[in-house]
Amino acid sequence: MSFEYIKLLPTPDEIRVQYPLPAKLIELKRRRDAEIRSVITGDSNKFLVIIGPCSADNEDAVCDYVTRLSKLNEKVKDKLILIPRIYTNKPRTTGDGYKGIIHQPDPNKKEDFLAGIIAMRKMHIRAIEESDLTCADEMLYPENWGYVSDILSYVAIGARSVEDQQHRLTVSGFDVPSGMKNPTSGDFAVMLNSVYAAQQPHSFIYRGWEVQTSGNKLAHTVLRGAVNKHGQSIPNYHYEDLNMLLEAYNERDLINPACIIDSNHNNSNKKYEQQIRIVKEVMHSRKLNKDIHSLVKGVMIESYIEEGCQKIGGGVYGKSITDPCLGWKDTEKLIYDIADYE
């Protein structure tokens, strides 16, 4: 066989027993979930800002960053809801490179999946304890959902995963908002079909069980830019793109129409400093059109303590080892600017 079975890992239930979410944080998460859910359903006019490092590679730096966000959240919470990005799984286009803390809890050492699962859970719990903010992560591996299902308040499904049947079916069992990104081709129909699938109930095989889900009415779209046949980035955050998405939503029977704009990736061509301009353009488009204002519920921003990025082992505290990010000074100003638009 081409598979070598190395060791049996603990189940999500076993890990959650060993590393439980403290009782005092369960109620905090319930309140945060309700507040975020009300934005997606249109019952709240607050604006979501899903923000943080491209990859959460260092627990101390990530929790430091999230604690800074918490202080900002207190100042803008009447208008914004800040949701820290703690992305512990990283899709790799070619399969090469750092794949996230669940693979390598220490980026300088070899893969250790058991240590990675534990590190992922401990970091998320510590971030909540120190900031009172529940976080977002990307679900790259559907079978891993149970390890963090009691912790996360938002889940993103990436451009390479959104067409996958198992991702769509698994999201249909979530009880938190789940952003389905447009595929790298930029095809809106694929993205909207993914939202529709996630909003429906399904029966399927999951972790060796036959399961039944009730459908996730909080599934929604995320525009992250696209790539043309020449490999060049094509943005899709402009007014015309938002209007086109609005029309596409109106043609379909989807619940809770909502969109989040990812200001990095192919929207910025990974020129991280452009996120500032892109976010401001999105906010301006919302002001111009009340229907776009209702549809666009938030933005995603890649940001860390230090701007830019470094190679693994670079040694700069709070600097990304994957895609480049905004630094803290620009992040703070941008959040205040977003609040001023609201």
Side-chain angles (χ1 to χ4, degrees), residues 230-247:
H230 303 294
Q232 298 166 324
S233 289
I234 307 171
N236 59 11
Y237 61 85
H238 295 305
Y239 182 90
E240 294 77 11
D241 300 299
L242 303 181
N243 213 39
M244 190 180 303
L245 179 60
L246 180 64
E247 291 174 1

Side-chain angles (χ1 to χ4, degrees), residues 45-47 242 246 259 282-283 285-298 341-342:
N45 291 323
K46 290 186 179 182
F47 193 71
L242 303 181
L246 180 64
C259 178
V282 170
M283 302 306 293
S285 294
R286 293 179 80 240
K287 276 198 167 185
L288 292 177
N289 186 317
K290 63 180 179 60
D291 293 326
I292 289 177
H293 188 280
S294 296
L295 178 68
V296 177
K297 307 287 190 183
Y341 272 96
E342 289 299 295

Side-chain angles (χ1 to χ4, degrees), residues 295-334:
L295 178 68
V296 177
K297 307 287 190 183
V299 290
M300 290 182 174
I301 301 166
E302 292 198 327
S303 150
Y304 212 176
I305 296 170
E306 300 294 336
E307 69 176 11
C309 63
Q310 62 183 331
K311 292 182 179 179
I312 292 175
V316 179
Y317 177 81
K319 191 169 187 176
S320 175
I321 60 170
T322 45
D323 289 349
C325 300
L326 290 178
W328 180 253
K329 183 178 179 181
D330 285 335
T331 296
E332 188 174 28
K333 185 177 187 307
L334 180 56

Side-chain angles (χ1 to χ4, degrees), residues 45-114:
N45 291 323
K46 290 186 179 182
F47 193 71
L48 304 178
V49 180
I50 303 161
I51 186 166
C54 174
S55 56
D57 60 288
N58 180 288
E59 180 180 314
D60 289 339
V62 167
C63 291
D64 179 353
Y65 175 89
V66 173
T67 301
R68 297 182 191 204
L69 274 188
S70 177
K71 295 174 183 176
L72 268 185
N73 190 67
E74 284 301 307
K75 297 177 181 178
V76 299
K77 64 182 180 181
D78 57 326
K79 296 180 179 180
L80 309 180
I81 300 175
L82 303 187
I83 306 175
R85 281 173 54 110
I86 298 185
Y87 280 27
T88 56
N89 310 276
K90 292 301 300 178
R92 304 283 80 183
T93 304
T94 64
D96 293 332
Y98 178 65
K99 299 181 180 70
I101 201 169
I102 197 167
H103 282 254
Q104 292 173 270
D106 184 336
N108 293 294
K109 295 181 180 179
K110 292 182 179 180
E111 291 179 324
D112 185 335
F113 288 95
L114 175 56

Side-chain angles (χ1 to χ4, degrees), residues 31-291:
R31 292 197 308 269
R32 281 272 292 179
D33 286 356
E35 188 177 19
I36 295 166
R37 182 185 300 112
S38 67
V39 175
I40 300 298
T41 60
D43 295 320
S44 169
N45 291 323
K46 290 186 179 182
F47 193 71
L48 304 178
V49 180
I50 303 161
I51 186 166
C54 174
S55 56
D57 60 288
N58 180 288
E59 180 180 314
D60 289 339
V62 167
C63 291
D64 179 353
Y65 175 89
V66 173
T67 301
R68 297 182 191 204
L69 274 188
S70 177
K71 295 174 183 176
L72 268 185
N73 190 67
E74 284 301 307
K75 297 177 181 178
V76 299
K77 64 182 180 181
D78 57 326
K79 296 180 179 180
L80 309 180
I81 300 175
L82 303 187
I83 306 175
R85 281 173 54 110
I86 298 185
Y87 280 27
T88 56
N89 310 276
K90 292 301 300 178
R92 304 283 80 183
T93 304
T94 64
D96 293 332
Y98 178 65
K99 299 181 180 70
I101 201 169
I102 197 167
H103 282 254
Q104 292 173 270
D106 184 336
N108 293 294
K109 295 181 180 179
K110 292 182 179 180
E111 291 179 324
D112 185 335
F113 288 95
L114 175 56
I117 290 168
I118 294 169
M120 172 178 67
R121 187 161 175 87
K122 289 176 68 176
M123 177 166 58
H124 270 291
I125 292 175
R126 177 182 167 188
I128 302 171
E129 286 178 319
E130 295 184 1
S131 70
D132 286 343
L133 299 179
T134 48
C135 305
D137 202 345
E138 179 173 351
M139 188 188 70
L140 186 59
Y141 308 114
E143 288 202 347
N144 288 346
W145 166 243
Y147 292 118
V148 287
S149 60
D150 60 329
I151 295 174
L152 298 181
S153 285
Y154 186 94
V155 177
I157 306 301
R160 300 164 190 82
S161 303
V162 75
E163 297 186 66
D164 176 61
Q165 182 85 335
Q166 191 73 1
H167 279 83
R168 294 177 175 191
L169 298 183
T170 305
V171 172
S172 74
F174 290 2
D175 60 354
V176 295
S178 304
M180 318 297 279
K181 293 195 174 187
N182 63 261
T184 53
S185 68
D187 192 323
F188 279 14
V190 168
M191 173 178 61
L192 289 161
N193 287 342
S194 182
V195 172
Y196 179 84
Q199 290 189 351
Q200 308 309 307
H202 295 284
S203 298
F204 57 102
I205 297 171
Y206 185 74
R207 294 191 66 95
W209 286 79
E210 177 183 340
V211 298
Q212 171 75 49
T213 62
S214 57
N216 181 356
K217 309 309 181 189
L218 304 174
H220 58 275
T221 57
V222 178
L223 297 184
R224 48 85 73 199
V227 179
N228 67 15
K229 64 181 181 180
H230 303 294
Q232 298 166 324
S233 289
I234 307 171
N236 59 11
Y237 61 85
H238 295 305
Y239 182 90
E240 294 77 11
D241 300 299
L242 303 181
N243 213 39
M244 190 180 303
L245 179 60
L246 180 64
E247 291 174 1
Y249 255 114
N250 290 337
E251 293 169 358
R252 289 167 169 79
D253 184 22
L254 293 170
I255 302 165
N256 299 322
C259 178
I260 304 292
I261 309 301
D262 181 344
S263 64
N264 213 12
H265 298 100
N266 289 117
N267 267 332
S268 69
N269 196 22
K270 295 191 178 180
K271 296 179 180 177
Y272 67 94
E273 68 280 1
Q274 292 299 313
Q275 293 183 100
I276 298 170
R277 176 189 58 79
I278 291 167
V279 167
K280 290 181 178 180
E281 180 177 326
V282 170
M283 302 306 293
H284 183 63
S285 294
R286 293 179 80 240
K287 276 198 167 185
L288 292 177
N289 186 317
K290 63 180 179 60
D291 293 326

